[in-house]
Amino acid sequence: QVQLVESGGGLVQAGGSLRLSCAASAASFAGIAMAWFRQAPGKEREFVGDISWIPSSTDYANSVKGRFTISRDNAKNAVYLQMNSLKPEDTAIYYCAAAAKIWSRPRTNINGYAGWGQGTQVTVFS
């Protein structure tokens, strides 16, 4: 199981930006697909986006396309979520997730991930 620690959350005005970081402690990090999920109060955990072991291969939920960008730095065992043009509906706890198996890309399948961290709170006010 991958150990993950999210950071970078906070309070931001609508239209602003925030960058979340996820530090991972895992072997063969370069071969592990990573993803960001979020969960608002009373709602199910929602897929935000993911990034393959091929860094240029990313995918995003329609609600964040054009506003959020995922990147990774294998030398630092880290993945990032750059959030721009934030909206109040982006308010949630954001979680970083790592695929349970190397060379596997679960995408939106939450059961394909392991090593969930405690998350970082993002609050967007208008």
PDB file of all heavy atoms in Angstrom, residues 21-57:
ATOM      1  N   SER A  21      -0.478  19.487  -3.467  1.00  0.00           N
ATOM      2  CA  SER A  21       0.646  18.576  -3.619  1.00  0.00           C
ATOM      3  C   SER A  21       0.333  17.254  -2.945  1.00  0.00           C
ATOM      4  O   SER A  21      -0.400  17.206  -1.962  1.00  0.00           O
ATOM      5  CB  SER A  21       1.912  19.174  -3.003  1.00  0.00           C
ATOM      6  OG  SER A  21       2.292  20.365  -3.651  1.00  0.00           O
ATOM      7  N   CYS A  22       0.904  16.199  -3.475  1.00  0.00           N
ATOM      8  CA  CYS A  22       0.741  14.871  -2.909  1.00  0.00           C
ATOM      9  C   CYS A  22       2.109  14.216  -2.863  1.00  0.00           C
ATOM     10  O   CYS A  22       2.719  13.979  -3.908  1.00  0.00           O
ATOM     11  CB  CYS A  22      -0.228  14.043  -3.757  1.00  0.00           C
ATOM     12  SG  CYS A  22      -0.355  12.308  -3.268  1.00  0.00           S
ATOM     13  N   ALA A  23       2.579  13.946  -1.666  1.00  0.00           N
ATOM     14  CA  ALA A  23       3.864  13.293  -1.488  1.00  0.00           C
ATOM     15  C   ALA A  23       3.634  11.804  -1.289  1.00  0.00           C
ATOM     16  O   ALA A  23       2.827  11.400  -0.451  1.00  0.00           O
ATOM     17  CB  ALA A  23       4.594  13.879  -0.289  1.00  0.00           C
ATOM     18  N   ALA A  24       4.335  11.002  -2.058  1.00  0.00           N
ATOM     19  CA  ALA A  24       4.157   9.556  -2.008  1.00  0.00           C
ATOM     20  C   ALA A  24       5.411   8.845  -1.534  1.00  0.00           C
ATOM     21  O   ALA A  24       6.534   9.273  -1.810  1.00  0.00           O
ATOM     22  CB  ALA A  24       3.760   9.022  -3.377  1.00  0.00           C
ATOM     23  N   SER A  25       5.195   7.763  -0.823  1.00  0.00           N
ATOM     24  CA  SER A  25       6.290   6.897  -0.391  1.00  0.00           C
ATOM     25  C   SER A  25       5.970   5.522  -0.946  1.00  0.00           C
ATOM     26  O   SER A  25       5.171   4.788  -0.378  1.00  0.00           O
ATOM     27  CB  SER A  25       6.398   6.857   1.130  1.00  0.00           C
ATOM     28  OG  SER A  25       7.440   5.999   1.538  1.00  0.00           O
ATOM     29  N   ALA A  26       6.573   5.204  -2.078  1.00  0.00           N
ATOM     30  CA  ALA A  26       6.277   3.946  -2.738  1.00  0.00           C
ATOM     31  C   ALA A  26       7.407   3.523  -3.659  1.00  0.00           C
ATOM     32  O   ALA A  26       8.102   4.355  -4.241  1.00  0.00           O
ATOM     33  CB  ALA A  26       4.987   4.053  -3.537  1.00  0.00           C
ATOM     34  N   ALA A  27       7.565   2.231  -3.806  1.00  0.00           N
ATOM     35  CA  ALA A  27       8.536   1.696  -4.739  1.00  0.00           C
ATOM     36  C   ALA A  27       7.951   1.783  -6.147  1.00  0.00           C
ATOM     37  O   ALA A  27       6.737   1.715  -6.328  1.00  0.00           O
ATOM     38  CB  ALA A  27       8.860   0.251  -4.386  1.00  0.00           C
ATOM     39  N   SER A  28       8.799   1.939  -7.125  1.00  0.00           N
ATOM     40  CA  SER A  28       8.380   2.000  -8.522  1.00  0.00           C
ATOM     41  C   SER A  28       7.319   3.070  -8.774  1.00  0.00           C
ATOM     42  O   SER A  28       6.369   2.859  -9.529  1.00  0.00           O
ATOM     43  CB  SER A  28       7.858   0.624  -8.975  1.00  0.00           C
ATOM     44  OG  SER A  28       8.838  -0.374  -8.805  1.00  0.00           O
ATOM     45  N   PHE A  29       7.489   4.218  -8.154  1.00  0.00           N
ATOM     46  CA  PHE A  29       6.525   5.308  -8.298  1.00  0.00           C
ATOM     47  C   PHE A  29       6.325   5.692  -9.762  1.00  0.00           C
ATOM     48  O   PHE A  29       5.221   6.025 -10.178  1.00  0.00           O
ATOM     49  CB  PHE A  29       6.987   6.526  -7.494  1.00  0.00           C
ATOM     50  CG  PHE A  29       6.069   7.713  -7.616  1.00  0.00           C
ATOM     51  CD1 PHE A  29       4.880   7.759  -6.911  1.00  0.00           C
ATOM     52  CD2 PHE A  29       6.398   8.783  -8.446  1.00  0.00           C
ATOM     53  CE1 PHE A  29       4.026   8.850  -7.025  1.00  0.00           C
ATOM     54  CE2 PHE A  29       5.555   9.881  -8.561  1.00  0.00           C
ATOM     55  CZ  PHE A  29       4.362   9.910  -7.849  1.00  0.00           C
ATOM     56  N   ALA A  30       7.386   5.642 -10.540  1.00  0.00           N
ATOM     57  CA  ALA A  30       7.316   6.043 -11.941  1.00  0.00           C
ATOM     58  C   ALA A  30       6.354   5.182 -12.749  1.00  0.00           C
ATOM     59  O   ALA A  30       5.871   5.617 -13.795  1.00  0.00           O
ATOM     60  CB  ALA A  30       8.703   5.999 -12.574  1.00  0.00           C
ATOM     61  N   GLY A  31       6.068   3.986 -12.286  1.00  0.00           N
ATOM     62  CA  GLY A  31       5.174   3.092 -13.002  1.00  0.00           C
ATOM     63  C   GLY A  31       3.758   3.043 -12.445  1.00  0.00           C
ATOM     64  O   GLY A  31       2.957   2.209 -12.858  1.00  0.00           O
ATOM     65  N   ILE A  32       3.459   3.939 -11.528  1.00  0.00           N
ATOM     66  CA  ILE A  32       2.153   3.953 -10.875  1.00  0.00           C
ATOM     67  C   ILE A  32       1.312   5.130 -11.349  1.00  0.00           C
ATOM     68  O   ILE A  32       1.721   6.284 -11.242  1.00  0.00           O
ATOM     69  CB  ILE A  32       2.312   4.021  -9.342  1.00  0.00           C
ATOM     70  CG1 ILE A  32       3.101   2.810  -8.839  1.00  0.00           C
ATOM     71  CG2 ILE A  32       0.944   4.090  -8.667  1.00  0.00           C
ATOM     72  CD1 ILE A  32       3.402   2.849  -7.357  1.00  0.00           C
ATOM     73  N   ALA A  33       0.123   4.829 -11.847  1.00  0.00           N
ATOM     74  CA  ALA A  33      -0.806   5.880 -12.231  1.00  0.00           C
ATOM     75  C   ALA A  33      -1.329   6.557 -10.967  1.00  0.00           C
ATOM     76  O   ALA A  33      -1.542   5.902  -9.945  1.00  0.00           O
ATOM     77  CB  ALA A  33      -1.969   5.301 -13.024  1.00  0.00           C
ATOM     78  N   MET A  34      -1.519   7.859 -11.030  1.00  0.00           N
ATOM     79  CA  MET A  34      -1.980   8.631  -9.882  1.00  0.00           C
ATOM     80  C   MET A  34      -3.256   9.376 -10.239  1.00  0.00           C
ATOM     81  O   MET A  34      -3.508   9.679 -11.406  1.00  0.00           O
ATOM     82  CB  MET A  34      -0.905   9.627  -9.445  1.00  0.00           C
ATOM     83  CG  MET A  34       0.437   9.003  -9.096  1.00  0.00           C
ATOM     84  SD  MET A  34       0.369   8.025  -7.571  1.00  0.00           S
ATOM     85  CE  MET A  34       0.110   9.338  -6.354  1.00  0.00           C
ATOM     86  N   ALA A  35      -4.037   9.685  -9.226  1.00  0.00           N
ATOM     87  CA  ALA A  35      -5.290  10.384  -9.468  1.00  0.00           C
ATOM     88  C   ALA A  35      -5.648  11.312  -8.316  1.00  0.00           C
ATOM     89  O   ALA A  35      -5.138  11.162  -7.202  1.00  0.00           O
ATOM     90  CB  ALA A  35      -6.425   9.386  -9.697  1.00  0.00           C
ATOM     91  N   TRP A  36      -6.519  12.246  -8.611  1.00  0.00           N
ATOM     92  CA  TRP A  36      -7.089  13.124  -7.599  1.00  0.00           C
ATOM     93  C   TRP A  36      -8.587  12.898  -7.546  1.00  0.00           C
ATOM     94  O   TRP A  36      -9.252  12.835  -8.589  1.00  0.00           O
ATOM     95  CB  TRP A  36      -6.813  14.593  -7.904  1.00  0.00           C
ATOM     96  CG  TRP A  36      -5.401  15.016  -7.640  1.00  0.00           C
ATOM     97  CD1 TRP A  36      -4.375  15.062  -8.535  1.00  0.00           C
ATOM     98  CD2 TRP A  36      -4.868  15.453  -6.382  1.00  0.00           C
ATOM     99  NE1 TRP A  36      -3.229  15.506  -7.915  1.00  0.00           N
ATOM    100  CE2 TRP A  36      -3.505  15.754  -6.592  1.00  0.00           C
ATOM    101  CE3 TRP A  36      -5.406  15.628  -5.102  1.00  0.00           C
ATOM    102  CZ2 TRP A  36      -2.665  16.214  -5.574  1.00  0.00           C
ATOM    103  CZ3 TRP A  36      -4.574  16.083  -4.087  1.00  0.00           C
ATOM    104  CH2 TRP A  36      -3.226  16.367  -4.330  1.00  0.00           C
ATOM    105  N   PHE A  37      -9.100  12.771  -6.347  1.00  0.00           N
ATOM    106  CA  PHE A  37     -10.532  12.672  -6.102  1.00  0.00           C
ATOM    107  C   PHE A  37     -10.907  13.773  -5.124  1.00  0.00           C
ATOM    108  O   PHE A  37     -10.052  14.338  -4.443  1.00  0.00           O
ATOM    109  CB  PHE A  37     -10.901  11.311  -5.498  1.00  0.00           C
ATOM    110  CG  PHE A  37     -10.858  10.164  -6.465  1.00  0.00           C
ATOM    111  CD1 PHE A  37      -9.655   9.583  -6.824  1.00  0.00           C
ATOM    112  CD2 PHE A  37     -12.031   9.658  -7.011  1.00  0.00           C
ATOM    113  CE1 PHE A  37      -9.608   8.523  -7.711  1.00  0.00           C
ATOM    114  CE2 PHE A  37     -12.002   8.587  -7.903  1.00  0.00           C
ATOM    115  CZ  PHE A  37     -10.791   8.029  -8.248  1.00  0.00           C
ATOM    116  N   ARG A  38     -12.189  14.068  -5.046  1.00  0.00           N
ATOM    117  CA  ARG A  38     -12.657  15.039  -4.065  1.00  0.00           C
ATOM    118  C   ARG A  38     -13.996  14.592  -3.512  1.00  0.00           C
ATOM    119  O   ARG A  38     -14.744  13.865  -4.156  1.00  0.00           O
ATOM    120  CB  ARG A  38     -12.764  16.437  -4.671  1.00  0.00           C
ATOM    121  CG  ARG A  38     -13.823  16.588  -5.755  1.00  0.00           C
ATOM    122  CD  ARG A  38     -13.734  17.970  -6.389  1.00  0.00           C
ATOM    123  NE  ARG A  38     -14.757  18.180  -7.402  1.00  0.00           N
ATOM    124  CZ  ARG A  38     -14.839  19.247  -8.172  1.00  0.00           C
ATOM    125  NH1 ARG A  38     -13.936  20.232  -8.042  1.00  0.00           N
ATOM    126  NH2 ARG A  38     -15.804  19.367  -9.074  1.00  0.00           N
ATOM    127  N   GLN A  39     -14.291  15.041  -2.312  1.00  0.00           N
ATOM    128  CA  GLN A  39     -15.543  14.687  -1.672  1.00  0.00           C
ATOM    129  C   GLN A  39     -16.095  15.875  -0.897  1.00  0.00           C
ATOM    130  O   GLN A  39     -15.456  16.378   0.021  1.00  0.00           O
ATOM    131  CB  GLN A  39     -15.355  13.489  -0.742  1.00  0.00           C
ATOM    132  CG  GLN A  39     -16.646  12.946  -0.172  1.00  0.00           C
ATOM    133  CD  GLN A  39     -16.468  11.577   0.465  1.00  0.00           C
ATOM    134  OE1 GLN A  39     -15.357  11.199   0.842  1.00  0.00           O
ATOM    135  NE2 GLN A  39     -17.549  10.833   0.575  1.00  0.00           N
ATOM    136  N   ALA A  40     -17.279  16.303  -1.293  1.00  0.00           N
ATOM    137  CA  ALA A  40     -17.976  17.388  -0.618  1.00  0.00           C
ATOM    138  C   ALA A  40     -18.908  16.780   0.430  1.00  0.00           C
ATOM    139  O   ALA A  40     -19.293  15.613   0.323  1.00  0.00           O
ATOM    140  CB  ALA A  40     -18.772  18.215  -1.618  1.00  0.00           C
ATOM    141  N   PRO A  41     -19.279  17.549   1.444  1.00  0.00           N
ATOM    142  CA  PRO A  41     -20.179  17.034   2.481  1.00  0.00           C
ATOM    143  C   PRO A  41     -21.463  16.461   1.899  1.00  0.00           C
ATOM    144  O   PRO A  41     -22.120  17.105   1.085  1.00  0.00           O
ATOM    145  CB  PRO A  41     -20.459  18.272   3.330  1.00  0.00           C
ATOM    146  CG  PRO A  41     -19.230  19.097   3.178  1.00  0.00           C
ATOM    147  CD  PRO A  41     -18.863  18.926   1.730  1.00  0.00           C
ATOM    148  N   GLY A  42     -21.798  15.245   2.312  1.00  0.00           N
ATOM    149  CA  GLY A  42     -23.021  14.617   1.851  1.00  0.00           C
ATOM    150  C   GLY A  42     -22.969  14.032   0.459  1.00  0.00           C
ATOM    151  O   GLY A  42     -23.984  13.535  -0.039  1.00  0.00           O
ATOM    152  N   LYS A  43     -21.815  14.075  -0.179  1.00  0.00           N
ATOM    153  CA  LYS A  43     -21.688  13.556  -1.532  1.00  0.00           C
ATOM    154  C   LYS A  43     -20.696  12.398  -1.613  1.00  0.00           C
ATOM    155  O   LYS A  43     -19.890  12.198  -0.710  1.00  0.00           O
ATOM    156  CB  LYS A  43     -21.241  14.663  -2.491  1.00  0.00           C
ATOM    157  CG  LYS A  43     -22.240  15.792  -2.666  1.00  0.00           C
ATOM    158  CD  LYS A  43     -21.764  16.771  -3.717  1.00  0.00           C
ATOM    159  CE  LYS A  43     -22.770  17.881  -3.946  1.00  0.00           C
ATOM    160  NZ  LYS A  43     -22.300  18.833  -4.992  1.00  0.00           N
ATOM    161  N   GLU A  44     -20.770  11.659  -2.706  1.00  0.00           N
ATOM    162  CA  GLU A  44     -19.852  10.561  -2.947  1.00  0.00           C
ATOM    163  C   GLU A  44     -18.497  11.114  -3.365  1.00  0.00           C
ATOM    164  O   GLU A  44     -18.393  12.238  -3.857  1.00  0.00           O
ATOM    165  CB  GLU A  44     -20.400   9.647  -4.047  1.00  0.00           C
ATOM    166  CG  GLU A  44     -21.688   8.928  -3.691  1.00  0.00           C
ATOM    167  CD  GLU A  44     -21.472   7.862  -2.650  1.00  0.00           C
ATOM    168  OE1 GLU A  44     -20.501   7.085  -2.780  1.00  0.00           O
ATOM    169  OE2 GLU A  44     -22.264   7.792  -1.701  1.00  0.00           O
ATOM    170  N   ARG A  45     -17.481  10.314  -3.169  1.00  0.00           N
ATOM    171  CA  ARG A  45     -16.162  10.705  -3.612  1.00  0.00           C
ATOM    172  C   ARG A  45     -16.161  10.783  -5.136  1.00  0.00           C
ATOM    173  O   ARG A  45     -16.609   9.859  -5.818  1.00  0.00           O
ATOM    174  CB  ARG A  45     -15.110   9.711  -3.122  1.00  0.00           C
ATOM    175  CG  ARG A  45     -13.678  10.164  -3.348  1.00  0.00           C
ATOM    176  CD  ARG A  45     -12.699   9.372  -2.491  1.00  0.00           C
ATOM    177  NE  ARG A  45     -12.932   9.579  -1.065  1.00  0.00           N
ATOM    178  CZ  ARG A  45     -12.112   9.166  -0.106  1.00  0.00           C
ATOM    179  NH1 ARG A  45     -11.003   8.518  -0.423  1.00  0.00           N
ATOM    180  NH2 ARG A  45     -12.412   9.388   1.169  1.00  0.00           N
ATOM    181  N   GLU A  46     -15.669  11.885  -5.671  1.00  0.00           N
ATOM    182  CA  GLU A  46     -15.754  12.182  -7.087  1.00  0.00           C
ATOM    183  C   GLU A  46     -14.387  12.220  -7.755  1.00  0.00           C
ATOM    184  O   GLU A  46     -13.445  12.819  -7.237  1.00  0.00           O
ATOM    185  CB  GLU A  46     -16.466  13.528  -7.268  1.00  0.00           C
ATOM    186  CG  GLU A  46     -16.520  14.061  -8.688  1.00  0.00           C
ATOM    187  CD  GLU A  46     -17.019  15.486  -8.745  1.00  0.00           C
ATOM    188  OE1 GLU A  46     -16.871  16.223  -7.744  1.00  0.00           O
ATOM    189  OE2 GLU A  46     -17.579  15.874  -9.795  1.00  0.00           O
ATOM    190  N   PHE A  47     -14.286  11.609  -8.910  1.00  0.00           N
ATOM    191  CA  PHE A  47     -13.065  11.623  -9.705  1.00  0.00           C
ATOM    192  C   PHE A  47     -12.808  13.023 -10.237  1.00  0.00           C
ATOM    193  O   PHE A  47     -13.693  13.653 -10.812  1.00  0.00           O
ATOM    194  CB  PHE A  47     -13.196  10.639 -10.866  1.00  0.00           C
ATOM    195  CG  PHE A  47     -12.049  10.651 -11.839  1.00  0.00           C
ATOM    196  CD1 PHE A  47     -10.868   9.986 -11.546  1.00  0.00           C
ATOM    197  CD2 PHE A  47     -12.158  11.307 -13.055  1.00  0.00           C
ATOM    198  CE1 PHE A  47      -9.813   9.976 -12.450  1.00  0.00           C
ATOM    199  CE2 PHE A  47     -11.114  11.311 -13.962  1.00  0.00           C
ATOM    200  CZ  PHE A  47      -9.936  10.643 -13.654  1.00  0.00           C
ATOM    201  N   VAL A  48     -11.607  13.515 -10.048  1.00  0.00           N
ATOM    202  CA  VAL A  48     -11.221  14.827 -10.539  1.00  0.00           C
ATOM    203  C   VAL A  48     -10.367  14.698 -11.794  1.00  0.00           C
ATOM    204  O   VAL A  48     -10.613  15.343 -12.806  1.00  0.00           O
ATOM    205  CB  VAL A  48     -10.451  15.627  -9.472  1.00  0.00           C
ATOM    206  CG1 VAL A  48      -9.940  16.946 -10.050  1.00  0.00           C
ATOM    207  CG2 VAL A  48     -11.340  15.888  -8.262  1.00  0.00           C
ATOM    208  N   GLY A  49      -9.367  13.840 -11.718  1.00  0.00           N
ATOM    209  CA  GLY A  49      -8.490  13.626 -12.851  1.00  0.00           C
ATOM    210  C   GLY A  49      -7.402  12.638 -12.506  1.00  0.00           C
ATOM    211  O   GLY A  49      -7.205  12.293 -11.347  1.00  0.00           O
ATOM    212  N   ASP A  50      -6.691  12.162 -13.513  1.00  0.00           N
ATOM    213  CA  ASP A  50      -5.593  11.242 -13.271  1.00  0.00           C
ATOM    214  C   ASP A  50      -4.440  11.497 -14.227  1.00  0.00           C
ATOM    215  O   ASP A  50      -4.559  12.250 -15.192  1.00  0.00           O
ATOM    216  CB  ASP A  50      -6.060   9.782 -13.337  1.00  0.00           C
ATOM    217  CG  ASP A  50      -6.242   9.256 -14.759  1.00  0.00           C
ATOM    218  OD1 ASP A  50      -6.473  10.061 -15.690  1.00  0.00           O
ATOM    219  OD2 ASP A  50      -6.160   8.023 -14.943  1.00  0.00           O
ATOM    220  N   ILE A  51      -3.334  10.854 -13.933  1.00  0.00           N
ATOM    221  CA  ILE A  51      -2.150  10.970 -14.765  1.00  0.00           C
ATOM    222  C   ILE A  51      -1.484   9.604 -14.850  1.00  0.00           C
ATOM    223  O   ILE A  51      -1.314   8.919 -13.849  1.00  0.00           O
ATOM    224  CB  ILE A  51      -1.179  12.044 -14.221  1.00  0.00           C
ATOM    225  CG1 ILE A  51       0.004  12.225 -15.165  1.00  0.00           C
ATOM    226  CG2 ILE A  51      -0.707  11.696 -12.811  1.00  0.00           C
ATOM    227  CD1 ILE A  51       0.820  13.480 -14.861  1.00  0.00           C
ATOM    228  N   SER A  52      -1.141   9.222 -16.053  1.00  0.00           N
ATOM    229  CA  SER A  52      -0.535   7.925 -16.309  1.00  0.00           C
ATOM    230  C   SER A  52       0.932   7.914 -15.927  1.00  0.00           C
ATOM    231  O   SER A  52       1.501   8.947 -15.564  1.00  0.00           O
ATOM    232  CB  SER A  52      -0.687   7.598 -17.801  1.00  0.00           C
ATOM    233  OG  SER A  52       0.118   6.502 -18.179  1.00  0.00           O
ATOM    234  N   TRP A  53       1.571   6.737 -16.024  1.00  0.00           N
ATOM    235  CA  TRP A  53       3.012   6.650 -15.865  1.00  0.00           C
ATOM    236  C   TRP A  53       3.689   7.394 -17.019  1.00  0.00           C
ATOM    237  O   TRP A  53       4.869   7.710 -16.940  1.00  0.00           O
ATOM    238  CB  TRP A  53       3.463   5.184 -15.809  1.00  0.00           C
ATOM    239  CG  TRP A  53       2.907   4.344 -16.913  1.00  0.00           C
ATOM    240  CD1 TRP A  53       3.454   4.135 -18.135  1.00  0.00           C
ATOM    241  CD2 TRP A  53       1.684   3.609 -16.879  1.00  0.00           C
ATOM    242  NE1 TRP A  53       2.649   3.315 -18.893  1.00  0.00           N
ATOM    243  CE2 TRP A  53       1.550   2.978 -18.131  1.00  0.00           C
ATOM    244  CE3 TRP A  53       0.690   3.425 -15.920  1.00  0.00           C
ATOM    245  CZ2 TRP A  53       0.456   2.178 -18.451  1.00  0.00           C
ATOM    246  CZ3 TRP A  53      -0.399   2.629 -16.230  1.00  0.00           C
ATOM    247  CH2 TRP A  53      -0.509   2.016 -17.477  1.00  0.00           C
ATOM    248  N   ILE A  54       2.917   7.631 -18.077  1.00  0.00           N
ATOM    249  CA  ILE A  54       3.349   8.519 -19.147  1.00  0.00           C
ATOM    250  C   ILE A  54       2.813   9.888 -18.750  1.00  0.00           C
ATOM    251  O   ILE A  54       1.611  10.137 -18.858  1.00  0.00           O
ATOM    252  CB  ILE A  54       2.780   8.095 -20.514  1.00  0.00           C
ATOM    253  CG1 ILE A  54       3.207   6.671 -20.852  1.00  0.00           C
ATOM    254  CG2 ILE A  54       3.244   9.048 -21.609  1.00  0.00           C
ATOM    255  CD1 ILE A  54       2.556   6.118 -22.098  1.00  0.00           C
ATOM    256  N   PRO A  55       3.666  10.785 -18.279  1.00  0.00           N
ATOM    257  CA  PRO A  55       3.214  12.066 -17.719  1.00  0.00           C
ATOM    258  C   PRO A  55       2.321  12.910 -18.615  1.00  0.00           C
ATOM    259  O   PRO A  55       1.474  13.660 -18.116  1.00  0.00           O
ATOM    260  CB  PRO A  55       4.537  12.786 -17.424  1.00  0.00           C
ATOM    261  CG  PRO A  55       5.507  11.675 -17.188  1.00  0.00           C
ATOM    262  CD  PRO A  55       5.126  10.628 -18.202  1.00  0.00           C
ATOM    263  N   SER A  56       2.486  12.798 -19.928  1.00  0.00           N
ATOM    264  CA  SER A  56       1.675  13.596 -20.841  1.00  0.00           C
ATOM    265  C   SER A  56       0.259  13.068 -20.993  1.00  0.00           C
ATOM    266  O   SER A  56      -0.595  13.748 -21.565  1.00  0.00           O
ATOM    267  CB  SER A  56       2.347  13.670 -22.214  1.00  0.00           C
ATOM    268  OG  SER A  56       2.487  12.382 -22.780  1.00  0.00           O
ATOM    269  N   SER A  57       0.003  11.867 -20.492  1.00  0.00           N
ATOM    270  CA  SER A  57      -1.321  11.265 -20.601  1.00  0.00           C
ATOM    271  C   SER A  57      -2.136  11.571 -19.351  1.00  0.00           C
ATOM    272  O   SER A  57      -1.911  10.984 -18.295  1.00  0.00           O
ATOM    273  CB  SER A  57      -1.204   9.755 -20.798  1.00  0.00           C
ATOM    274  OG  SER A  57      -2.485   9.165 -20.938  1.00  0.00           O
TER     275      SER A  57
END
